[in-house]
Amino acid sequence: MKQPTTFLYEQDEQGIATITLNRPERLNALTFEVYRDLTDLFAALRDEPGVRVVIITGAGRAFCSGGDVHDIIGQLFNRNMEGLLEFTRMTCELIQNIRALPKPVIASLNGTTAGAGACIALAADIRFASEEAKIAFLFVKVGLAGTDMAASYLLPRVVGLSKATEMLFTGDFVSAGEAERIGLYNRVVPSGELAAATRAFAEKLARGPAFALGKTKEMLNRELDMDLQTALESEAQAQAICMQHPDYREAYEAFVAKREAKFK
C-alpha cells in the first residue's frame, strides 16, 4: 500500500491504523492533495489484511476545520462548472470510501470540527470527542448548501430530521456536550483522556470478529433505505453467511471451553 505524504499514518501489530491530519498551524484544513490522499487511502485499506480498525484524528487543537480558505476555496473561483463538479465529486468519493470500508472507523475528535471535517467525522462509524470538540456544518455561512458530503443524508439519520435541519440551516457550532446529548458523539471525555479512550475502544473492536463487524457495517449501510421485509430477508442472509465463517465456530468453542475467543 502506498504511504500517504500529506498526513501521518501508522499501523500497528494489533491491527489498528491511525490517520493523523497534520497541519496544526492551519487547524488541519484540507487541501486538494489531502483530499486525494485520504480518498485513496480509505480505498486501499479495503485490501489491507493487517488493518482491522481505523482511527482518524488531528494534530494540535483541531480535528479538521474544513477546506483550506486559500488552497481550496480561493482556487475554486478559477474553475468552470466541470472543474467544480470534479472537485465536489472527489469530496463525495472520500465519504463513499469511508462508508464502504468493511472495517470500523473511529473519529477521535481532539478539537474544532467544522465543514468538511464535520462530514468526515459524521461518515465515521464511531465518534469519540474531547470536551473542546465543538462541531459545525457551516456550509451555509459561506453561501453553500448544507447538503455537502452526505451531510443531509447522514445527519438526519444520526440526530433526527428536526435537529439536523437546524444544524444545516444555521451552520452554528454545537458544543461537545450537546453533540453527545443528541447522539452525534458517542462519548465525550477530557482532552487528556481522549487518546487512551479511543485506543481502548479500538483495541476492543480489533479483538472482535472482523468478518462479522464488516458484515454489520455493510448491513447498516444497506438497510438505511430498505423496507422491513427486505431488511429482514437481508439480515437472514447475512447471518447465514456469518454462520459459515470460522469465527462463529471459534466463538462457540471458546464459550464451551470457558476461554476468550481468538478471532482471526
Side-chain angles (χ1 to χ4, degrees):
M1 185 181 73
K2 180 182 177 182
Q3 287 291 112
T5 59
T6 59
F7 48 83
L8 303 180
Y9 177 81
E10 297 179 359
Q11 183 177 324
D12 65 24
E13 295 180 354
Q14 292 178 279
I16 299 172
T18 301
I19 298 165
T20 304
L21 302 176
N22 192 35
R23 301 181 74 217
E25 72 287 354
R26 301 297 291 271
L27 300 182
N28 299 319
L30 303 170
T31 65
F32 293 115
E33 293 76 16
V34 174
Y35 262 121
R36 186 71 264 165
D37 280 355
L38 281 173
T39 300
D40 292 345
L41 177 62
F42 274 102
L45 287 172
R46 299 175 198 172
D47 301 316
E48 188 65 27
V51 173
R52 301 170 71 89
V53 180
V54 179
I55 296 171
I56 182 166
T57 191
R61 59 190 180 91
F63 170 70
C64 175
S65 59
D68 190 283
V69 172
H70 302 293
D71 292 346
I72 287 185
I73 297 175
Q75 295 300 314
L76 290 177
F77 290 111
N78 300 319
R79 295 194 178 200
N80 59 17
M81 185 62 177
E82 183 179 356
L84 293 172
L85 271 174
E86 179 185 17
F87 169 69
T88 54
R89 285 171 175 161
M90 179 183 69
T91 68
C92 290
E93 183 185 0
L94 169 58
I95 301 303
Q96 174 62 33
N97 287 353
I98 294 173
R99 295 305 310 155
L101 181 66
K103 304 170 185 185
V105 178
I106 305 171
S108 186
L109 309 176
N110 52 296
T112 299
T113 302
C119 292
I120 292 171
L122 180 62
D125 303 297
I126 299 289
R127 285 161 290 280
F128 277 28
S130 73
E131 294 170 334
E132 294 75 27
K134 61 183 181 179
I135 186 169
F137 297 84
L138 45 66
F139 305 105
V140 295
K141 289 187 178 293
V142 296
L144 296 176
T147 177
D148 195 75
M149 295 173 68
S152 58
Y153 180 84
L154 290 173
L155 192 59
R157 289 164 167 81
V158 174
V159 304
L161 179 60
S162 179
K163 193 64 181 179
T165 301
E166 177 187 345
M167 294 176 71
L168 296 179
F169 272 9
T170 66
D172 290 342
F173 274 100
V174 171
S175 70
E178 174 69 0
E180 183 180 33
R181 187 189 70 80
I182 64 178
L184 181 54
Y185 290 173
N186 295 81
R187 196 170 305 169
V188 174
V189 299
S191 58
E193 300 175 14
L194 178 63
T198 304
R199 178 74 193 187
F201 193 79
E203 290 176 353
K204 178 180 180 179
L205 294 181
R207 292 191 298 269
F211 182 82
L213 289 173
K215 183 61 68 174
T216 301
K217 180 170 180 176
E218 175 192 342
M219 297 309 299
L220 286 169
N221 283 330
R222 290 176 59 188
E223 292 185 49
L224 286 173
D225 300 302
M226 287 184 182
D227 58 42
L228 177 60
Q229 183 176 356
T230 305
L232 288 172
E233 175 59 24
S234 295
E235 290 188 7
Q237 293 181 23
Q239 288 296 56
I241 291 170
C242 287
M243 288 171 182
Q244 294 181 305
H245 194 275
D247 283 347
Y248 184 60
R249 178 171 293 278
E250 166 60 16
Y252 168 74
E253 293 179 350
F255 178 81
V256 172
K258 298 181 179 180
R259 60 172 174 81
E260 183 179 356
K262 296 181 180 180
F263 300 113
K264 297 182 179 180

